[in-house]
Amino acid sequence: MPGTVLLLAASPVGKGGLVDAASVLPVLAAVPPAVLSGTDTANVVELADPLDPQAVLTRLRAAAAAPGPLTVYVTGQLQLDRRQRLPHLALARTTPATVRYTALPWHWIREELRLRPSGATTLLLDLHADQETWQWLRTHPLDSGRNNAVYGRIAPPPARRTVATPAYMRGVATVLRSGYRPPPDQLHQQALARAAAEGAPAGTDLVLSAPGPVAGDPHAVIADAVRAGRHADADALAARHELAAAHAHGPASEDALHWAEVRADLAMFAGDPARSCRAWLTVAETRLGAGQPAGAPAVEAAVDRAHHQWGRVRDAGQARELGVALAALRGRVPGPREGALDHVQRELSRLQTQG
């Protein structure tokens, strides 16, 4: 099965840039696609200093939907938004004051990759952090998803008026240019050694090394069932895990909500947007009822996904019923994009005039 490779290099233009992220892309692009992926053939998508987080999300979503192995190479810098203090990948137009609107929220990466099969996704990361984010990372590990193998490093901010080089990713590219891709853990160690040989300060980076879930993970079993078209079996397995998590930890626990979210996505894969919308609405209400703020990423993501699925509901009666619930929820959770509540109200008015 062909592999998919996403090469993403981004950093702010001007004095806000901490690392010359895009400088590594020509070196990576010189590596044959099959070597980048570790498969016989591969499709490569390259994003160099993108401007719009929504455009990056579209490419990421398409890559995540590919059925074969996926390797994501990310070079850039992390910054916190001022409102929620959550990590974002800074893009070309990002400034400290505009992180929430011009940078890519890191949890978008985690969310888009979370239902991929076990062992099918590898992230290779070479990231720099500004001083505020570096301090935050000391007590908040970067969450790239429980289903993914993650290797790389996060470097502290360079000296003032200095732009760092992506030494780790250059090391990765140098190893791969030999024409052979070793197993990810070996590639990681060789890249660290090459970065140290280039003069990267030893012992200062946060080293990322997570090989991913073990064989037999239920997510892999569910993904196999979806690929085989056994949607009812996939949902039944996820439902059993949701019920077990609710009994063990409570229905508002992260474990139970995780499986509720899996079931919402499974309904989407099964072509049932009404069930998916209703499930996402329930997840959002449960999170809010448990005291999570309306601006929490998981709450906003649940409402955004409910909104997206609602737009795909073709039965007018179901659309009206779900639209009323969505409008009430949008009043509490407007989300980061302006006009979401207005859109629901306009569509709801149109549906009501249809009778």
Side-chain angles (χ1 to χ4, degrees):
M1 188 175 292
T4 300
V5 175
L6 179 61
L7 305 178
L8 171 56
S11 58
V13 174
K15 63 181 181 180
L18 302 178
V19 58
D20 185 7
S23 66
V24 77
L25 282 180
V27 191
L28 281 171
V31 177
V35 179
L36 286 172
S37 176
T39 56
D40 289 339
T41 60
N43 301 310
V44 178
V45 178
E46 181 178 321
L47 295 174
D49 281 328
L51 301 176
D52 178 21
Q54 290 293 332
V56 178
L57 177 62
T58 298
R59 298 295 186 89
L60 175 64
R61 186 166 289 165
L70 170 64
T71 308
V72 182
Y73 297 80
V74 183
T75 307
Q77 71 186 59
L78 294 175
Q79 292 181 226
L80 300 180
D81 70 291
R82 290 180 173 176
R83 178 178 165 188
Q84 295 176 293
R85 293 183 57 77
L86 292 173
H88 290 58
L89 182 71
L91 303 183
R93 294 186 294 200
T94 301
T95 66
T98 65
V99 170
R100 182 169 168 81
Y101 306 102
T102 63
L104 182 76
W106 193 260
H107 61 265
W108 285 9
I109 297 176
R110 180 192 69 220
E111 286 295 312
E112 292 304 321
L113 300 179
R114 68 191 175 88
L115 267 189
R116 284 185 52 77
S118 175
T121 309
T122 302
L123 297 172
L124 291 162
L125 310 177
D126 190 348
L127 303 170
H128 283 69
D130 63 14
Q131 191 59 47
E132 181 185 28
T133 309
W134 183 251
Q135 292 302 321
W136 184 89
L137 287 165
R138 292 300 188 182
T139 54
H140 301 80
L142 189 67
D143 183 0
S144 301
R146 68 174 84 186
N147 256 12
N148 310 317
V150 182
Y151 296 96
R153 61 94 181 242
I154 306 174
R160 290 192 64 183
R161 297 185 178 84
T162 301
V163 176
T165 60
Y168 173 85
M169 197 62 77
R170 283 185 174 277
V172 168
T174 301
V175 172
L176 295 179
R177 287 182 68 180
S178 68
Y180 167 70
R181 177 174 138 163
D185 57 335
Q186 295 179 25
L187 175 61
H188 170 64
Q189 293 299 330
Q190 293 176 30
L192 287 175
R194 289 183 177 274
E198 279 192 23
T204 59
D205 296 348
L206 293 173
V207 176
L208 309 172
S209 180
V214 297
D217 184 275
H219 297 85
V221 179
I222 289 170
D224 287 342
V226 170
R227 282 198 299 272
R230 294 184 287 107
H231 298 287
D233 292 344
D235 183 66
L237 178 56
R240 288 200 296 273
H241 283 282
E242 181 186 6
L243 185 60
H247 282 159
H249 309 292
S253 66
E254 281 302 319
D255 277 351
L257 285 168
H258 167 74
W259 287 109
E261 291 172 347
V262 168
R263 295 187 69 196
D265 274 341
L266 290 175
M268 174 191 67
F269 293 142
D272 191 342
R275 179 160 59 94
S276 182
C277 175
R278 187 172 286 110
W280 281 117
L281 290 172
T282 300
V283 168
E285 291 283 6
T286 303
R287 289 189 178 279
L288 289 168
Q292 295 187 23
V299 175
E300 288 187 342
V303 180
D304 286 348
R305 286 168 183 261
H307 194 154
H308 178 72
Q309 289 301 298
W310 179 64
R312 295 172 177 263
V313 176
R314 294 294 170 257
D315 180 89
Q318 287 184 321
R320 280 194 294 270
E321 173 206 346
L322 292 168
V324 170
L326 178 60
L329 198 52
R330 271 297 186 205
R332 301 166 65 190
V333 187
R337 303 185 73 180
E338 293 184 9
L341 176 57
D342 290 341
H343 174 262
V344 177
Q345 292 172 334
R346 285 196 308 271
E347 288 299 303
L348 202 50
S349 295
R350 183 182 63 80
L351 287 166
Q352 288 166 345
T353 59
Q354 289 179 354

